[in-house]
Amino acid sequence: MQQVNRLRELDFLRGIAIILVLFRHQLLFRFLETMGWIGVDLFFVLSGFLVSGLLFKEYQKFGSINAKLFLIRRGFKIYPIFYLTYILYIIPSVLLHKFDLEKTFYDLIFVQNYALGWGYAYAASWSLAVEEHFYFALALFLWLIFNKKIMSFEYKENQFSNFEKLLFFILILILGLRIFSNIYFPDENVRNTTMSHLRIDSLLFGVLIAYWYYFKFDKLSDFYQKYKAALLILAFAMLSFTPFIEQLESFFIRTIGFTMLYLSFGIILIHFLIDKSVNAQINRLFTRTIVNFISKIGFCSYSIYVIHSFVINWIGFFKPIKNRFLAFAIVFSISVIAGFIMTNVIEKFILNLRNKYFPNRIN
């Protein structure tokens, strides 16, 4: 059984993801703003891998999963920070008498990506809705397979299992749905970007990687080591368009581009999981100090993600800063510091309560 504990290198990837998001929402250089949206796709692949890995490990230990416990524990991780931070976002609309109860309701029950496209109080919350829908779908999906045995989970080393075939089918189906939706609803660029059934394939590819990692590790490792150079070249080639094409305006990105992204990030994730020298590689590329700092940012990435738009909005409201370098430095610093505090004080307290009353089965 493979184990993924708190890995510095995966926190580093999360840190890169949240930094890309900050580039998207606070201008530093135009090409970074153009490509910054891909940070969300990196989050999706990582989340799909890590969250499904929890359930795979539980199945390996017990032969079943406790879907209810899984969702409760996810709820402790996601909801308190989100709802506490959400209060900050609605203060301006309340003060300016522009508060919209209906749109707020959509945000609070995580359907904003269907009802509104972007989030209401802050636009970036659409991705949290996709993640929430994924958690419930994944828990039901694996509960039906592991507990109710609706499909054989047996696998053989040298052929695709039924589980893999089903995931391949779903990934292709979602790509087809994306193409259909963008052709027949060409004016719905935002919803074609944010609706869960058009974006959940990035998370599902993370699930597929987790399946290979936990159940076919030797096969995955051998394949990756054999084709490592070609796969890494392919991954970065498929990312090469991102600094040059604005996502919302591109039919290519909203269809095949999203698929290329999760394939690219999936290859990079596999490299980080398989290559034992990856920490040394990123240390040489960025220096150990910078990698440690980015990894700490990654550890706090959820809190930084939910607070950074608030920081941007309020700095712009009270004292717009014309110098983009200074503006980015201030937004980055305040967002990271606030995220660190939220993670190590509020989230830590909440997760301690979770672990006390709803302990993890696999520990």
Side-chain angles (χ1 to χ4, degrees):
M1 181 192 303
Q2 297 304 315
Q3 295 291 338
V4 175
N5 298 312
R6 194 88 220 177
L7 294 180
R8 171 183 183 255
E9 56 268 33
L10 295 191
D11 277 337
F12 174 79
L13 287 179
R14 270 187 288 243
I16 293 295
I18 190 61
I19 291 170
L20 283 166
V21 170
L22 288 169
F23 285 148
R24 176 64 172 180
H25 296 152
Q26 181 62 49
L27 177 64
L28 183 61
F29 297 106
R30 189 62 63 186
F31 78 94
L32 291 175
E33 180 187 49
T34 301
M35 71 180 295
W37 59 273
I38 69 173
V40 170
D41 294 77
L42 178 53
F43 272 128
F44 282 166
V45 174
L46 288 168
S47 182
F49 171 79
L50 292 165
V51 171
S52 63
L54 298 174
L55 293 172
F56 287 147
K57 286 189 288 186
E58 185 178 350
Y59 169 75
Q60 287 177 321
K61 185 172 183 178
F62 297 102
S64 64
I65 63 169
N66 187 331
K68 179 180 178 181
L69 178 63
F70 165 77
L71 291 173
I72 289 172
R73 287 179 60 83
R74 282 285 93 193
F76 271 88
K77 172 69 175 177
I78 301 300
Y79 299 145
I81 288 290
F82 175 77
Y83 290 132
L84 287 171
T85 309
Y86 196 84
I87 296 170
L88 300 177
Y89 282 98
I90 63 173
I91 289 174
S93 60
V94 172
L95 294 177
L96 297 173
H97 304 289
K98 294 181 179 180
F99 177 70
D100 189 315
L101 181 60
E102 180 181 354
K103 292 179 179 179
T104 298
F105 178 71
Y106 294 144
D107 278 356
L108 295 178
I109 64 170
F110 294 96
V111 296
Q112 61 269 52
N113 58 332
Y114 284 94
L116 306 173
W118 305 127
Y120 165 57
Y122 67 109
S125 67
W126 71 269
S127 66
L128 303 181
V130 177
E131 295 250 7
E132 281 301 299
H133 302 160
F134 166 73
Y135 296 147
F136 281 94
L138 179 70
L140 175 61
F141 180 51
L142 294 183
W143 178 79
L144 289 171
I145 293 174
F146 293 152
N147 295 39
K148 296 303 179 181
K149 314 296 183 184
I150 66 165
M151 184 183 77
S152 172
F153 197 68
E154 297 297 324
Y155 57 91
K156 296 181 180 180
E157 194 68 23
N158 295 316
Q159 63 186 48
F160 291 125
S161 65
N162 290 335
F163 184 79
E164 289 168 291
K165 292 175 184 177
L166 180 57
L167 282 181
F168 290 146
F169 172 77
I170 295 172
L171 293 173
I172 294 170
L173 175 63
I174 293 173
L175 174 59
L177 289 173
R178 259 205 309 271
I179 294 171
F180 175 87
S181 186
N182 278 277
I183 289 174
Y184 286 93
F185 305 99
D187 297 326
E188 292 287 350
N189 288 356
V190 174
R191 284 185 174 84
N192 285 333
T193 296
T194 63
M195 290 190 295
S196 297
H197 68 285
L198 303 181
R199 297 304 309 277
I200 206 169
D201 50 346
S202 296
L203 290 136
L204 291 176
F205 194 64
V207 174
L208 184 59
I209 293 172
Y211 173 84
W212 290 333
Y213 186 80
Y214 287 100
F215 297 98
K216 293 186 172 183
F217 179 81
D218 290 339
K219 188 75 174 179
L220 174 65
S221 181
D222 290 344
F223 177 84
Y224 185 71
Q225 294 295 346
K226 184 176 180 180
Y227 298 105
K228 178 169 69 173
L231 287 170
L232 288 174
I233 291 171
L234 177 63
F236 286 102
M238 288 192 294
L239 290 173
S240 62
F241 68 88
T242 58
F244 309 107
I245 306 175
E246 177 55 47
Q247 177 260 317
L248 273 181
E249 300 171 0
S250 172
F251 175 87
F252 160 73
I253 291 180
R254 296 194 310 274
T255 53
I256 300 171
F258 288 146
T259 300
M260 292 170 62
L261 280 180
Y262 73 65
L263 291 173
S264 300
F265 288 137
I267 292 170
I268 292 169
L269 172 59
I270 292 170
H271 177 74
F272 272 64
L273 292 168
I274 300 297
D275 196 316
K276 294 180 181 179
S277 65
V278 69
N279 272 295
Q281 293 169 12
I282 56 179
N283 285 343
R284 286 196 301 269
L285 188 61
F286 295 97
T287 77
R288 179 181 295 274
T289 300
I290 292 176
V291 172
N292 287 340
F293 178 61
I294 293 175
S295 297
K296 286 182 171 62
I297 289 175
F299 178 73
C300 304
S301 58
Y302 176 58
S303 293
I304 296 172
Y305 188 81
V306 298
I307 199 64
H308 80 279
S309 293
F310 173 79
V311 174
I312 292 170
N313 293 342
W314 279 81
I315 288 177
F317 179 78
F318 284 111
K319 190 175 180 60
I321 302 170
K322 294 181 179 180
N323 185 299
R324 70 179 189 272
F325 299 105
L326 178 60
F328 182 85
I330 292 173
V331 166
F332 181 89
S333 300
I334 296 177
S335 298
V336 168
I337 291 169
F340 275 33
I341 294 170
M342 291 165 63
T343 299
N344 290 291
V345 178
I346 302 173
E347 185 177 313
K348 183 178 180 180
F349 172 77
I350 293 167
L351 295 185
N352 283 338
L353 291 177
R354 179 191 73 174
N355 294 334
K356 178 179 179 180
Y357 294 105
F358 301 97
N360 193 344
R361 280 181 88 193
I362 60 178
N363 286 342

